[in-house]
Amino acid sequence: MRKILIVGAGQAGLQLAHGLLLAGGYEVTVMSQRPASEIRHGRVTSTQCMFGAALEMERRALGVDLWSAAGSGHRIDGLGVSVPGPDAAPAINWLGQLSQYAQSVDQRLKMAAWLELFAERGGTVVINAATVSDLDHLAALYDLVIVAAGKGDIVELFDRDAERSPYSAPQRSLAVAYVHAVRPREEHPDTSAVRFNLIPTVGELIVIPALTTSGTCDILFWEGIPGGPIDTFDQVADDPAAHLAHTLELIRRFAPWEYERCAEAELTDPGATLAGRYAPVVRHPIAALPSGRLALGIADVVVANDPITGQGSNNASRAADTYLAAILAHGDRPYDQAFMQATFDSYWARVAVCTAWTNAMLAPPPPHVLDILGAAGQHQDVADRFANGFSAPDDFADWLLDPIKASTYLAAVTAR
């Protein structure tokens, strides 16, 4: 039986671990920095919205749907965009319909449950904040070591890929609050939807319906351009109440069309806020440990995009799906450097367009993108295609990312 160690208990690490257990023939160990109880009752670690295609991969790997969206109150059926005009009212304001529902489950709730289920199914869980020396020692005991922990000293083992990493500094400051008591948007009160509010020269406010440890909620997520008025959460980072008050004041100031429905928002729990920043980066997938043994990176360890497009958990699911298929197909052959590089290359082929799209969203939108956003308010099929691109980002290469293809597509839509 082949022995595999996965360091990190997030979306990619646990999805892959469950997939290997269900496949059979693998002895799988997951190393988690914290036990499930601490994860569940700790501070929020992320935003997330998993779209239809990624949810399907997740279900296949786990063999079970722990959070069926039917009747749960956190099913997401739409994705909308608002952009203010000169009078601060939305000049662009539309809703695209998703062909497959999406959902957002607080990773404290999700990863704690997945970690417990993994142990119940016979997987080995080790609670340890692994150091490089720990990893080097353990690598001798396993056939394959996969690093799925996107933070900490271990990540520094993986070198930055300068050719695929156009940014060397954070492009947004990030501020998150999980809240109760947000009302639906008046224009679609019966459709639960992610709302992207794009505010030129300032940043983005993203509102995500979600499920947390205390029930259904909404995530208020500010992405601020560095040095701008949203890049001001450092001063309230240690005070959740002040963080929420600052969040709401910025909504009142820069996205007033969202303020009324958010005005009575209350934090879901004492750990419901998060602030920080990081530079988007692609790293080389293979790390050489001090002994010369190798470790393979996955998901955020090797491709960490800005969360502006909500693809982090989706890419993690794609990564786990890719790595699972590669491991199962590899049989009893050694997990050598060639296997590791080929596995990453297969993953990169699935997320290269997604990374290009995300990086493009961090820059001021070019004229053809503004044309698309405007056309989506006039043509429902444009709005729907944009919304469903979040589930299948490769589609954006055929229109959104290319001004000529965009013009051709819009001309065809107008003609129809």
Side-chain angles (χ1 to χ4, degrees):
M1 183 174 288
R2 313 211 75 183
K3 298 179 65 176
I4 296 178
L5 172 65
I6 299 172
V7 181
Q11 175 75 40
L14 284 172
Q15 181 177 320
L16 175 58
H18 278 279
L20 290 168
L21 276 189
L22 291 183
Y26 298 91
E27 183 180 321
V28 187
T29 299
V30 168
M31 183 172 288
S32 174
Q33 185 173 2
R34 297 178 293 161
S37 59
E38 288 187 15
I39 295 171
R40 184 177 285 111
H41 299 294
R43 197 166 188 172
V44 294
T45 60
S46 67
T47 62
Q48 64 285 308
C49 182
M50 294 195 67
F51 294 90
L55 287 174
E56 291 286 347
M57 298 172 206
E58 173 184 293
R59 293 187 192 105
R60 288 199 304 268
L62 269 71
V64 65
D65 183 357
L66 299 183
W67 295 278
S68 174
S72 66
H74 65 287
R75 173 182 173 127
I76 298 171
D77 291 303
L79 184 145
V81 173
S82 299
V83 183
D87 61 354
I92 294 173
N93 190 43
W94 48 261
L95 176 70
Q97 298 291 332
L98 296 173
S99 59
Q100 297 175 288
Y101 71 78
Q103 65 182 21
S104 173
V105 178
D106 184 343
Q107 293 204 351
R108 296 177 298 179
L109 175 65
K110 186 174 186 178
M111 298 312 147
W114 279 12
L115 193 59
E116 291 167 340
L117 178 61
F118 175 73
E120 291 170 8
R121 288 175 163 177
T124 300
V125 176
V126 175
I127 306 302
N128 182 30
T131 65
V132 172
S133 59
D134 292 334
L135 193 61
D136 199 21
H137 169 72
L138 289 167
L141 307 177
Y142 291 88
D143 298 299
L144 175 63
V145 173
I146 296 175
V147 178
K151 299 177 182 178
D153 293 342
I154 291 178
V155 179
E156 301 306 316
L157 291 169
F158 298 86
D159 294 331
R160 179 174 178 268
D161 186 339
E163 292 185 3
R164 291 171 169 169
S165 303
Y167 300 117
S168 58
Q171 298 302 296
R172 293 291 189 272
S173 64
L174 313 173
V176 175
Y178 281 58
V179 298
H180 293 308
V182 171
R183 298 195 300 272
R185 285 278 287 251
E186 290 184 357
E187 62 268 44
H188 51 81
D190 299 322
T191 300
S192 179
V194 176
R195 294 297 317 196
F196 281 80
N197 301 279
L198 311 178
I199 304 160
T201 74
V202 173
E204 299 81 26
L205 170 67
I206 306 168
V207 183
I208 309 169
L211 179 70
T212 187
T213 54
S214 55
T216 55
C217 68
D218 286 89
I219 303 170
L220 305 179
F221 178 29
W222 272 114
E223 288 227 350
I225 294 173
I230 309 302
D231 187 12
T232 49
F233 278 86
D234 289 348
Q235 57 192 323
V236 296
D238 297 323
D239 186 338
H243 180 116
L244 176 59
H246 193 48
T247 296
L248 295 175
E249 172 56 25
L250 292 171
I251 294 174
R252 186 196 63 77
R253 180 179 173 189
F254 293 109
W257 59 90
E258 291 278 21
Y259 180 74
E260 184 176 350
R261 75 185 186 111
C262 297
E264 299 178 0
E266 300 177 350
L267 292 175
T268 59
D269 62 89
T273 60
L274 177 69
R277 68 197 73 207
Y278 63 88
V281 64
V282 177
R283 299 184 180 95
H284 294 288
I286 304 170
L289 300 170
S291 64
R293 300 183 184 95
L294 303 179
L296 173 62
I298 190 174
D300 281 357
V301 174
V302 288
V303 182
N305 292 336
D306 188 277
I308 190 171
T309 56
Q311 293 297 303
S313 57
N314 295 271
N315 277 349
S317 186
R318 295 177 186 116
D321 188 67
T322 303
Y323 283 44
L324 176 62
I327 292 169
L328 297 183
H330 200 62
D332 294 330
R333 288 170 288 167
Y335 300 117
D336 56 14
Q337 185 168 350
F339 164 81
M340 293 181 177
Q341 187 64 52
T343 300
F344 171 78
D345 290 344
S346 295
Y347 172 54
W348 177 250
R350 296 181 71 173
V351 299
V353 171
C354 180
T355 300
W357 163 50
T358 303
N359 288 337
M361 288 287 288
L362 294 169
H368 77 277
V369 172
L370 292 176
D371 289 343
I372 287 171
L373 296 179
Q378 305 298 319
H379 303 281
Q380 188 61 45
D381 51 345
V382 179
D384 292 348
R385 186 175 184 183
F386 185 91
N388 285 288
F390 283 72
S391 181
D394 281 359
D395 181 56
F396 286 133
D398 292 330
W399 65 302
L400 185 74
L401 297 178
D402 186 302
I404 295 176
K405 291 180 179 179
S407 178
T408 301
Y409 169 68
L410 292 180
V413 169
T414 302
R416 289 199 302 269

